[in-house]
Amino acid sequence: MFARLRGRGFTLIELLVVIAIIAILAAILFPVFAQAREKARATGCLSNLKQMGNAWVMYVQDYDEQFVTGCPGNQVGSTWGRCTDMKDRACFGGWPGNLLMPYTKNTGIFQCPSTPHISTVNYGNACGGPSNNDENFARQQYGIPYLYLSYSYNNVALDGRGLGQVPHPADQLVIWDSPNPWTDCNYAQAGSCGIWAQRDIVYYLVKTGQPLQPGMQSVSATSSSVINESPHNNGANYLYADGHAKYGSWARMTWGNLAGTRIPDNVPDYTRSVILHPLATYSGVD
């Protein structure tokens, strides 16, 4: 007689142990995968800025070392939404990418893979379009093939200036990761405009749990755009006036990096961290 072999399944305890092990492994590995994915996106974002840097350098060379024009015709009543010169606008309403397009041919570089739709420029409804997000209308109306943006342009330091007015081009910030397309107000200006008072630098401090300086405001620092403002492991990618780009952090930036065209390089404030307010007041800071 042969003994009948009986099949044996898993007990409930064994199943629970296996599930627990899988859960522990998932908890360990998922953050690693997320960091690796974000690292890849950050690399793609840095590549975008490097391509913008190449276009920036070619533009500067073609225009007698002058930087992209801000608001053409502003002195004769131009408004930020005037359609006739939208494709030539680097300031509020448009964006410097409008002038760099002939040198890059790829407007996809204006969108970071981590935050591709974090802000909008070249507004469609400003020219009679049905909404702010009508990309087809913008393309048909004034030949601009992009509306969405992931970077900010340093208008305060660079608008109306040229390469000869930047003492240290390799240190001067031009474009960086941001939910705000422009520095369209003086850096420490109160309200919702200054990047030191209530924008990028405040966002960085709030997200990293650091205290704000007197004069900073965190009114908007809990919005979804702020949560995504420092997607690259609390750092950012930066483009400099000489055309090179690299990864960094606001914690490492000085007022010389941000406002090198306005703060003399022979004073202590030039090397003072942007997280701190300058010791003295210079034009374009407050």
Side-chain angles (χ1 to χ4, degrees):
M1 296 291 294
F2 294 99
R4 179 178 295 178
L5 297 177
R6 298 179 60 186
R8 182 177 181 275
F10 291 107
T11 66
L12 178 60
I13 293 177
E14 289 172 333
L15 287 173
L16 291 176
V17 169
V18 171
I19 292 173
I21 293 174
I22 293 174
I24 292 172
L25 291 175
I28 294 173
L29 295 177
F30 283 173
V32 175
F33 292 152
Q35 290 179 4
R37 181 179 62 181
E38 184 50 46
K39 182 64 176 179
R41 290 176 175 174
T43 301
C45 183
L46 181 60
S47 175
N48 287 350
L49 282 175
K50 288 180 178 179
Q51 293 179 69
M52 279 188 265
N54 292 335
W56 170 269
V57 169
M58 287 187 286
Y59 179 96
V60 170
Q61 290 174 343
D62 283 352
Y63 286 87
D64 298 325
E65 297 192 341
Q66 295 302 298
F67 299 141
V68 292
T69 305
C71 293
N74 216 32
Q75 69 278 12
V76 290
S78 170
T79 62
W80 66 267
R82 193 172 73 179
C83 304
T84 55
D85 58 20
M86 185 67 77
K87 65 181 179 62
D88 299 318
R89 299 178 70 81
C91 67
F92 186 49
W95 203 68
N98 296 358
L99 302 178
L100 298 180
M101 281 192 299
Y103 300 92
T104 176
K105 306 296 185 181
N106 177 17
T107 58
I109 64 174
F110 305 144
Q111 294 176 284
C112 174
S114 296
T115 55
H117 295 161
I118 201 167
S119 63
T120 309
V121 294
N122 299 320
Y123 303 115
N125 68 347
C127 300
S131 74
N132 279 354
N133 300 324
D134 188 349
E135 200 161 8
N136 288 330
F137 179 85
R139 183 182 293 108
Q140 295 168 6
Q141 186 75 7
Y142 38 79
I144 297 177
Y146 75 101
L147 291 178
Y148 296 107
L149 194 68
S150 306
Y151 305 98
S152 184
Y153 177 63
N154 195 355
N155 289 78
V156 175
L158 304 175
D159 189 34
R161 289 175 167 79
L163 195 59
Q165 295 167 285
V166 181
H168 305 285
D171 296 330
Q172 176 63 60
L173 293 176
V174 176
I175 296 172
W176 55 83
D177 290 315
S178 174
N180 303 292
W182 320 272
T183 58
D184 46 333
C185 294
N186 292 333
Y187 302 118
Q189 182 170 326
S192 62
C193 217
I195 70 168
W196 183 88
Q198 199 176 345
R199 287 190 178 178
D200 299 69
I201 298 171
V202 174
Y203 300 168
Y204 170 78
L205 292 176
V206 170
K207 187 166 184 179
T208 55
Q210 300 182 59
L212 302 185
Q213 298 295 318
M216 288 182 170
Q217 304 173 44
S218 59
V219 176
S220 62
T222 56
S223 69
S224 60
S225 65
V226 174
I227 293 172
N228 293 324
E229 191 275 332
S230 297
H232 308 316
N233 299 318
N234 291 328
N237 292 309
Y238 299 88
L239 172 65
Y240 295 81
D242 68 343
H244 87 278
K246 66 180 181 179
Y247 176 83
S249 167
W250 284 114
R252 301 175 184 174
M253 297 299 167
T254 70
W255 282 96
N257 293 130
L258 187 61
T261 62
R262 294 180 177 269
I263 298 179
D265 60 5
N266 60 350
V267 299
D269 290 356
Y270 191 89
T271 57
R272 188 172 173 84
S273 171
V274 293
I275 293 176
L276 305 175
H277 195 282
L279 301 175
T281 299
Y282 295 97
S283 174
V285 175
D286 289 322

